[in-house]
């Protein structure tokens, strides 16, 4: 289906409408300080599902996250002839769900990269969700804790856990810390942007595909608050039917919006959008991309929606090798 130049011009002009909190940077500096105060407590065990192979070793990594939760990540490391440090891909999964199969994770060791992929608490994997979120849950993790203020949001705690994982990365043997890459699509794309923003001295490059968690108010205004964003619709109808409190709770959600994190990203970013996406509206994705001030490139796929885009996957390999012009 042809994609009009007029429609593309509309998207390229998107700058986002969800409010970025005035104290956003200070808020997150304080949350990262809290995560840094958590003593590192982790163990790396041989995988209980996959045996060691001649080309790769598989591990289960468990660590203590915020509120004492036990958080899990798959960790696979290639065996490199002659030894030496290897690059690491930090990979984040979509919503809801957990880390992909060991077979899929093995694609990265296949090109010489270790991979570390975390299960988000309460989304179907091995990571523990200790709960304790104040107020209305309604539906979905996006609005979990919104009635308790920004510090109580599910994604605030998740990004703190993510930061603790990044602290662990710095201690891993055999990892080249000058080549730590972030990869994520949908929820993983939103998490990837936050990871780059909150760990700027660790992440070297990031590949981000159709990020979820982006420009929440625009999603609402477009009437696209369904599927992944359905928590916005349920919350607005059940607890703010006349919209009088919309500025308040969209302001709270601004603390975990990818649009708010974008200005803190420093590493080069390869960004992908399916222009037929009805799950994460292209308007929201363009708003985030336009807010990035780092070296960047936006790859567009007019006929693709919220689905596997193999052409983007192939570009990631080249991008990590520095072979994609930004």
């Amino acid at each position: 289906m042809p994609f009009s130049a007029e429609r593309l011009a509309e998207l390229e002009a998107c700058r986002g409408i969800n409010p970025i909190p005035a104290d956003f940077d200070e808020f997150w500096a304080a949350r990262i300080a809290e995560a840094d105060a958590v003593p590192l407590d982790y163990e790396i065990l041989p995988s209980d599902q996959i045996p060691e192979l001649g080309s790769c070793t598989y591990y289960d990594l468990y660590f203590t996250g915020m509120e004492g939760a036990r958080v899990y990540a798959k960790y696979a490391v290639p065996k490199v002839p002659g030894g030496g440090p290897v690059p690491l891909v930090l990979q984040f999964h979509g919503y809801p769900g957990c880390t992909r199969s060991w077979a899929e994770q093995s694609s990265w060791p296949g090109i010489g990269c270790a991979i570390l992929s975390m299960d988000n608490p309460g989304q179907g994997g091995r990571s523990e969700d200790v709960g304790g979120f104040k107020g209305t849950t309604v539906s979905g993790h996006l609005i979990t804790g919104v009635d308790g203020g920004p510090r109580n949001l599910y994604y605030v705690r998740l990004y703190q856990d993510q930061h603790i994982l990044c602290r662990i990365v710095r201690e891993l043997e055999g990892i080249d810390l000058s080549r730590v890459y972030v990869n994520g699509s949908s929820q993983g794309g939103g998490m990837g942007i936050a990871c780059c923003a909150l760990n700027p001295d660790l992440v070297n490059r990031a590949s981000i595909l159709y990020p979820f968690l982006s420009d929440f108010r625009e999603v609402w205004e477009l009437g696209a608050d369904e599927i992944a964003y359905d928590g916005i619709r349920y919350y607005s109808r059940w607890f703010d039917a006349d919209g009088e409190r919309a500025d308040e709770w969209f302001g709270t959600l601004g603390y975990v919006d990818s649009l708010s994190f974008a200005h803190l990203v420093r590493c080069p970013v390869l960004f992908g959008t399916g222009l037929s996406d009805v799950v994460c509206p292209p308007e929201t994705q363009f708003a985030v991309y336009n807010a990035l001030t780092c070296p960047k490139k936006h790859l567009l796929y007019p006929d693709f929606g919220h689905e596997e885009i193999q052409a983007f996957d192939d570009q990631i390999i080249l991008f990590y090798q520095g072979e994609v012009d930004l």
Side-chain angles (χ1 to χ4, degrees), residues 27-325:
F27 172 87
W28 273 105
R31 302 292 78 74
I32 291 303
E34 291 170 353
D36 281 336
V38 175
L40 283 187
D41 176 20
Y42 63 95
E43 58 180 346
I44 301 174
L45 307 170
S47 168
D48 60 12
Q49 294 179 313
I50 305 295
E52 181 174 345
L53 302 178
S55 58
C56 184
T57 305
Y58 299 94
Y59 299 101
D60 297 322
L61 188 153
Y62 291 92
F63 68 94
T64 299
M66 302 302 295
E67 307 295 330
R70 193 172 192 235
V71 184
Y72 171 78
K74 285 186 171 78
Y75 182 38
V77 182
K79 296 180 180 178
V80 180
V86 297
L88 172 71
V89 176
L90 278 167
Q91 184 156 285
F92 303 109
H93 65 75
Y95 180 76
C98 58
T99 55
R100 300 292 184 90
S101 69
W102 282 110
E104 184 167 332
Q105 309 293 357
S106 297
S107 62
W108 292 112
I111 60 170
C113 295
I115 180 169
L116 190 56
S117 186
M118 184 178 78
D119 279 352
N120 292 352
Q123 294 190 17
R126 296 189 182 189
S127 291
E128 179 184 27
D129 185 354
V130 296
F133 298 103
K134 182 180 179 181
T136 305
T137 302
V138 189
S139 173
H141 295 84
L142 192 159
I143 50 81
T144 297
V146 70
D147 290 335
R151 289 186 64 178
N152 195 57
L153 290 169
Y154 169 87
Y155 282 100
V156 167
R157 188 184 301 174
L158 178 64
Y159 293 158
Q160 288 177 308
D161 286 339
Q162 185 184 64
H163 179 72
I164 294 172
L165 182 63
C166 287
R167 290 171 57 201
I168 293 170
V169 167
R170 301 175 191 277
E171 295 192 356
L172 294 176
E173 295 183 4
I175 297 301
D176 182 350
L177 293 180
S178 70
R179 293 185 292 167
V180 174
Y181 310 130
V182 158
N183 182 45
S185 59
S186 196
Q187 176 182 240
M191 292 180 66
I193 291 170
C195 185
C196 295
L198 299 175
N199 304 276
D201 59 338
L202 177 67
V203 182
N204 179 260
R205 286 176 177 257
S207 48
I208 306 294
L209 181 63
Y210 42 64
F212 174 50
L213 306 168
S214 299
D215 201 2
F216 297 128
R217 186 139 198 173
E218 180 68 22
V219 170
W220 192 55
E221 297 286 352
L222 290 169
D225 48 338
E226 298 178 324
I227 312 176
Y229 286 104
D230 64 354
I232 293 176
R233 175 161 298 206
Y234 292 144
Y235 187 88
S236 64
R237 279 158 172 71
W238 294 357
F239 298 97
D240 190 27
D242 57 7
E244 285 189 353
R245 293 178 46 245
D247 289 346
E248 173 192 335
W249 53 273
F250 277 117
T252 297
L253 291 176
Y255 288 94
V256 294
D257 196 314
S258 300
L259 185 64
S260 302
F261 282 110
H263 74 283
L264 294 175
V265 176
R266 296 290 176 261
C267 69
V269 173
L270 183 69
F271 199 107
T273 295
L275 294 176
S276 299
D277 196 333
V278 297
V279 177
C280 295
E283 288 87 346
T284 68
Q285 298 183 46
F286 273 79
V288 172
Y289 179 79
N290 289 333
L292 293 170
T293 59
C294 56
K296 60 186 180 178
K297 184 169 187 176
H298 201 173
L299 301 180
L300 306 178
Y301 302 92
D303 296 330
F304 284 80
H306 208 75
E307 59 188 294
E308 177 73 20
I309 304 180
Q310 295 181 6
F312 184 79
D313 291 345
D314 291 342
Q315 286 296 304
I316 294 173
I317 299 174
L318 299 174
F319 175 63
Y320 288 171
Q321 303 301 315
E323 297 182 13
V324 174
D325 293 330

